[in-house]
């Protein structure tokens, strides 16, 4: 799909397309190569990086164990450091060692825990640009979004450091460490953020590096935390091999999972059987409804923002549910907006000293995902979906001859067939689908197609219509005419239906989820025996 010349249905170049004399990307920005980033890691944290590999961290020591797998960057297909995968027996040893750390850490006074987490944040701030550069190479984030991921982690945890006292008053750490299994797309603002707040609340923490990317960034962040005495364990391995230790082990006090529904369902079954505290954030098909609406300029302005990071995030909006009588007006706003999207190599510039490219997104996380998505699009069209837009690559945004197999350019399909995964599941890529409806009942049915979602939006001019329909949309957060997000600081987060299991998080709820309160306490969340909204 990276080299698709475009669909005759809509091949108009965007208004920012370069003219014949526009500069062409010919080199990397100075100082941003993978070799540059790796050498900086070796200098900053030599205890955690070897010449050719990263290490695992357990029992308070960086360990040269595990089988280091080859890996490549989605940016251009070149080799980068892969995860050092542990076997199940070693993972069990790491969990038992983490329990020993937990039993000591839980008695550390709050002021000291806060000081150590604060010092970690200072160190992360000092190395902010290196952490962001690692995210560019490992998971393909454009520079702007990579920096935002690091900054959200730092700023979010500082909010907890400043206000932790009332959140932990009358509460105690769990009986064992918190085990974190997270997806690859937000290593800092989701995984590192959660780990540091969990430690601040009095728990030792275990993090599994995502299989698809982020190992070097997480290794550097954990090295900085370990130096300040944070009881963090960082291990790599396949989910199937390590799940017995990281999910089922009796030493684990809580399982925090972020990922897809298939894996999440297996984790949910395990923790339910064991009666274990859990936080399971899973995917849902987040939808944007259009009903009796006329502010098309407002919608057009937000469309490009919905493609940030190629929609590889749990709060992306891949589905528009549009009132049929408004479809022509919707397309008149949507198509010019989607044509403005900028996709390319996140570090490619005309001259080495040029600023970072301004992109909406770069590659998907790996070429296999790009091919899978391209195949789903082709299959959906073969079975009746109507292609409305298919973007074409702009050679000026890539290096000459580079591997572009992980890049997918925006695609918009009308009416994906029910047999297609694009009809009912999140694509986790830059593919929008549009469903047309004629009645409010059809609108709600289409917006609730995935048995629960994390976010949704309804655009309508009429207050009464919004007030009547919004409560019937099965999403944890519903916006009116604007996107909703996971949120930061005091904003709560969860999901309806199959998109979430266990305790809700955000604000004080994150601390409550990883601490013990009064006997018989019922946490807000979706549990096997109760559902409780905040």
């Amino acid at each position: 799909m990276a080299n698709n010349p475009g669909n005759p249905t809509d091949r108009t170049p965007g208004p920012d397309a370069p003219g014949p004399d526009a500069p062409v990307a010919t080199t990397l920005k100075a100082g941003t190569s993978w070799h540059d980033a790796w050498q900086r890691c070796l200098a900053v944290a030599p205890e955690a990086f070897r010449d050719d590999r990263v290490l695992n961290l357990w029992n308070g020591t960086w360990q040269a164990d595990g089988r280091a797998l080859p890996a490549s960057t989605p940016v251009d297909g070149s080799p980068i450091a892969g995860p050092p995968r542990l076997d199940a027996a070693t993972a069990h040893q790491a969990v038992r060692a983490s329990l020993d750390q937990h039993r000591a850490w839980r008695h550390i006074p709050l002021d000291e825990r806060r000081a150590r987490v604060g010092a970690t944040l200072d160190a992360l701030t000092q190395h902010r640009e290196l952490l962001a550069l690692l995210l560019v190479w490992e998971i393909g984030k454009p520079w702007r979004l990579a920096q935002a991921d690091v900054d959200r982690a730092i700023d979010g945890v500082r909010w907890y450091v400043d206000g932790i006292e009332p959140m932990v008053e009358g509460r105690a750490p769990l009986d064992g460490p918190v085990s974190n299994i997270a997806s690859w797309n937000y290593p800092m603002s989701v995984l590192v953020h959660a780990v540091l707040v969990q430690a601040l609340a009095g728990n030792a923490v275990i993090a599994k590096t995502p299989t698809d990317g982020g190992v070097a960034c997480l290794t550097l962040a954990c090295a900085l935390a370990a130096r300040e005495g944070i009881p963090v364990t960082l291990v790599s391995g396949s989910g199937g091999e390590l799940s017995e230790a990281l999910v089922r082990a009796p030493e684990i006090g809580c399982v925090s999972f972020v990922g897809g529904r298939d894996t999440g369902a297996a984790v949910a079954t395990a923790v339910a059987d064991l009666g274990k505290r859990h936080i399971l954030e899973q995917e849902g098909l987040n939808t944007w409804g259009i009903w009796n609406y006329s502010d098309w300029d407002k919608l057009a302005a937000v469309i490009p923002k919905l493609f940030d990071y190629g929609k590889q995030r749990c709060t992306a909006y891949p589905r528009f549910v549009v009132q049929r009588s408004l479809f022509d007006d919707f397309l008149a706003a949507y198509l010019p907006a989607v044509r403005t999207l900028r996709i390319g190599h996140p570090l490619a510039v005309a001259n080495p000293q040029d600023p970072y490219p301004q992109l909406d997104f770069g590659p998907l996380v790996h070429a296999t995902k790009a091919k899978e998505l391209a195949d789903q699009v082709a299959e959906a069209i073969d079975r009746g979906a109507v292609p409305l837009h298919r973007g074409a690559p702009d050679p000026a945004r890539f290096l000459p001859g580079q591997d572009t197999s992980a890049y997918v350019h925006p695609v918009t399909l009308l009416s994906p067939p029910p047999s297609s995964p694009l009809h009912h599941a999140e694509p986790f890529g830059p593919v929008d689908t549009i469903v047309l409806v004629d009645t409010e009942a059809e609108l709600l049915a289409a917006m609730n197609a995935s048995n629960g979602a994390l976010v949704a939006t309804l655009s309508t001019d009429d207050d009464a219509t919004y007030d009547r329909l919004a409560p019937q949309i099965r999403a944890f957060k519903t916006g009116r005419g604007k996107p909703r997000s996971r949120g930061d600081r005091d904003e709560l987060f969860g999901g309806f239906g199959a998109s979430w299991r266990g305790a809700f998080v955000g604000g004080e709820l994150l601390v409550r989820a990883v601490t013990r309160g009064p006997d018989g306490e019922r946490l807000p969340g979706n549990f096997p025996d109760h559902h409780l909204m905040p």
Side-chain angles (χ1 to χ4, degrees), residues 187-262:
M188 292 295 298
S189 62
V190 173
L191 183 52
V192 171
H193 176 279
V195 161
L196 292 178
V197 175
Q198 292 159 6
L200 180 64
N203 303 288
V205 289
I206 303 169
K208 177 188 174 296
T209 59
T211 303
D212 288 327
V215 62
C217 177
L218 287 169
T219 299
L220 178 59
C222 288
L224 299 175
R227 286 181 182 178
E228 303 302 335
I230 304 297
V232 58
T233 294
L234 181 68
V235 294
S236 294
S238 73
E241 188 160 12
L242 300 194
S243 62
E244 190 69 25
L246 300 184
V247 176
R248 290 183 170 272
E251 295 91 345
I252 298 296
C254 176
V255 176
S256 177
F257 170 87
V258 179
R261 287 193 181 184
D262 291 343

Side-chain angles (χ1 to χ4, degrees), residues 102-118:
H102 180 82
R103 287 170 172 165
W105 179 254
R106 63 183 298 172
H107 298 297
I108 297 292
L110 177 59
D111 285 346
E112 183 175 344
R113 298 200 306 262
R114 183 165 54 185
R116 293 190 190 185
V117 173

Side-chain angles (χ1 to χ4, degrees), residues 62-137:
W62 289 98
Q63 314 267 2
D65 52 11
R67 181 169 59 95
L69 297 182
S72 60
T73 171
V75 171
D76 61 9
S78 58
I80 59 174
R85 303 179 79 167
L86 295 181
D87 57 29
T90 308
H92 277 287
Q93 293 182 50
V95 170
R96 288 191 288 270
S98 180
L99 178 61
D100 292 338
Q101 290 180 306
H102 180 82
R103 287 170 172 165
W105 179 254
R106 63 183 298 172
H107 298 297
I108 297 292
L110 177 59
D111 285 346
E112 183 175 344
R113 298 200 306 262
R114 183 165 54 185
R116 293 190 190 185
V117 173
T120 300
L121 297 177
D122 292 342
L124 294 174
T125 301
Q126 179 183 352
H127 298 289
R128 165 181 179 263
E129 292 198 355
L130 176 55
L131 291 163
L133 182 58
L134 293 170
L135 291 181
V136 173
W137 280 110

